[in-house]
Amino acid sequence: MKYSIDHKSPIPLHVQAEALLREIIEDPDYQNGKLLPNEVELARQLAISRTTLRQAINKLVYEGLLIRKKRTGTKVAQGTVSSKSNNWLSFSQEMKVRGITIKNFEFHVSWVTPDETLANFFEIKTDRKVLKMERVRGRPGEPFVYFISYFHPRIGLTGDEDFKRPLYELLENDYSVVATLSKEEISAHAAEPYIANKLRIADGSPVLFRKRFVFDQGERPIEYNLGYYKADSFVYTVESRR
Amino acid sequence: MKYSIDHKSPIPLHVQAEALLREIIEDPDYQNGKLLPNEVELARQLAISRTTLRQAINKLVYEGLLIRKKRTGTKVAQGTVSSKSNNWLSFSQEMKVRGITIKNFEFHVSWVTPDETLANFFEIKTDRKVLKMERVRGRPGEPFVYFISYFHPRIGLTGDEDFKRPLYELLENDYSVVATLSKEEISAHAAEPYIANKLRIADGSPVLFRKRFVFDQGERPIEYNLGYYKADSFVYTVESRR
DNA sequence: AATGTTATAATGTACAAACATATAAATATT
DNA sequence: AATATTTATATGTTTGTACATTATAACATT
């Protein structure tokens, strides 16, 4: 059997099952409409209960990745050729692809107490300190983005890490934290003085503002990121299918 | 007891429970952070099993409406009323969800010759006319978006259609054109005078600019859409997984 | 050949029961 | 008073079981 589930792992079975499903449905056969093994059978193969398996399938159905039909079976939703990991390049990698060399203008790490929103997202109390990282980056002579990142204390970052390395690689290799899901909100604003100063633009100039909520495999929050991009310096691309 | 569940109804209990939860969490008390009754207790009150109740709660948690915390309880998510990446709602539907009534300020349809970019995207020659639709929309007294849409001549639109109807519904029902894939580019700009005028803002004010390339099932181009959104009036949300 | 009926195989709903885990609160220890 | 330990309580995980529902497939009837 190609795929299997580790009953000794501390990772919940339904999470393992979910991850596993995400993998197997990459298989061209399934992408082309082949039915998955039926629930009873698949549960047997994975040596988990049908209920647990359904817990996993449910999430993918809810996401629109799988389609269930009574008496027929479950198959991969057509057209959802998955995810496009395009989105998941780090900033420096992203820029490298475009042939832009990146300069760091400012870099600052500190421990701060979270505000209401942040504490809420991290599901921690407001007196628990979190690591804040600020960065101003751009091309030589022209800063064009100001980042603020907050990291969940659970991860165990100290603030002394080598942040020159790509961030998600660092988290993955040294802290076994795998960023899996990101929810982003993008809007346009007029730059406040503080932001304008960082980006060396006039007060009130347009900026693209991106809020990013990042989660690990278990959908636990790991990073909250704010990005202020100087207008015209950044284009956000999205591809979506229904 | 104020709320209850009908065990004789053909509607599944977990669906009833979900609806009921949606109602009770409207209660100002809960909106303000009061904890819901714990699962065991609530299940008893509703005379359903805890499993069934959890099925209902899970959906709301997944939607970001409820927050669960061990040993503490479950409460209504404060603040960030997440708008789900329902990317495929039409503009008016999208706004309806947010409780905003839409007014049309300008509406104009014309036949134009495409520029290089457009002809290229549509894969037609530059002497072939295409239908152009312009719209300024917003809430009463405040226009906040200027749309320009170009439609592929293949579709067969005449320009006399009832554009009050949701666009993608119209295309689907009357022209059997199903929008399936969209590629978007989002950026921030300073408004040019022409755009500023449409949105009744000062020249150079920030706008969110969205280019949208829409394709049908066969990945054939059907629409090219430009949207200029007044800053702070529009948030674009994306959810991505790797 | 078209229509109605029945069996069957898949998902859908629901429950009860047990144990795991995280954490707030109470208590004991230093 | 500060710190460590215990306890209680909420959610989290998982199983086994049973029956309902639905849509297809097989069959029978007209």
Side-chain angles (χ1 to χ4, degrees), chain A:
Chain A
M1 217 188 313
K2 205 166 160 192
Y3 305 98
S4 75
I5 279 191
D6 180 4
H7 282 256
K8 277 167 196 142
S9 159
I11 300 167
L13 301 182
H14 73 269
V15 175
Q16 288 187 54
E18 189 191 330
L20 192 144
L21 281 171
R22 280 185 202 282
E23 273 190 48
I24 73 174
I25 66 180
E26 293 289 322
D27 185 324
D29 282 356
Y30 292 123
Q31 294 280 346
N32 278 21
K34 187 181 161 193
L35 293 169
L36 299 191
N38 75 63
E39 295 180 353
V40 179
E41 169 59 16
L42 189 52
R44 198 191 55 71
Q45 275 183 38
L46 302 179
I48 58 177
S49 79
R50 186 179 160 215
T51 320
T52 304
L53 174 59
R54 274 180 69 81
Q55 220 174 127
I57 296 179
N58 277 336
K59 290 202 85 174
L60 302 197
V61 168
Y62 196 82
E63 270 180 42
L65 256 144
L66 289 181
I67 302 210
R68 282 210 264 229
K69 215 173 162 187
K70 272 191 196 169
R71 173 61 223 260
T72 308
T74 304
K75 62 175 182 180
V76 176
Q78 305 271 298
T80 30
V81 183
S82 57
S83 46
K84 302 268 298 163
S85 54
N86 208 325
N87 235 313
W88 281 97
L89 292 172
S90 81
F91 182 70
S92 8
Q93 288 171 308
E94 216 167 329
M95 292 301 140
K96 207 170 190 176
V97 169
R98 302 182 195 190
I100 298 170
T101 15
I102 288 305
K103 193 178 172 314
N104 281 298
F105 287 84
E106 276 186 50
F107 178 78
H108 189 57
V109 172
S110 57
W111 289 90
V112 299
T113 47
D115 64 9
E116 194 66 30
T117 320
L118 184 55
N120 204 5
F121 169 57
F122 278 170
E123 293 169 20
I124 57 173
K125 285 205 286 191
T126 45
D127 59 358
R128 183 106 175 261
K129 294 241 174 183
V130 300
L131 187 70
K132 176 183 185 179
M133 187 178 91
E134 292 168 275
R135 260 174 171 169
V136 178
R137 313 177 85 180
R139 75 185 100 213
E142 188 202 5
F144 58 73
V145 59
Y146 172 43
F147 279 127
I148 306 171
S149 274
Y150 300 92
F151 298 95
H152 197 290
R154 185 187 342 98
I155 302 172
L157 287 169
T158 63
D160 294 326
E161 288 78 8
D162 174 19
F163 288 106
K164 265 152 209 145
R165 290 167 56 193
L167 189 56
Y168 294 114
E169 186 200 292
L170 188 148
L171 289 176
E172 207 163 319
N173 294 339
D174 299 7
Y175 295 89
S176 307
V177 169
V178 185
T180 304
L181 169 65
S182 117
K183 300 184 185 181
E184 313 182 44
E185 297 178 6
I186 295 140
S187 53
H189 290 303
E192 305 157 32
Y194 178 73
I195 304 295
N197 181 46
K198 296 273 183 204
L199 298 176
R200 300 190 195 159
I201 55 179
D203 290 8
S205 300
V207 290
L208 188 74
F209 175 51
R210 173 169 76 174
K211 263 191 211 176
R212 198 177 206 167
F213 303 88
V214 185
F215 303 82
D216 70 4
Q217 291 131 320
E219 306 238 337
R220 296 182 303 181
I222 58 178
E223 185 200 354
Y224 177 57
N225 175 266
L226 306 173
Y228 298 86
Y229 297 83
K230 187 174 157 182
D232 302 310
S233 71
F234 187 72
V235 177
Y236 192 88
T237 66
V238 194
E239 201 175 307
S240 68
R241 237 171 246 274
R242 70 158 187 184

Side-chain angles (χ1 to χ4, degrees), chain B residues 148-165:
Chain B
I148 306 170
S149 274
Y150 299 93
F151 298 97
H152 198 291
R154 184 187 344 99
I155 302 172
L157 286 169
T158 63
D160 295 325
E161 288 79 8
D162 174 18
F163 289 105
K164 265 153 210 143
R165 291 168 55 193

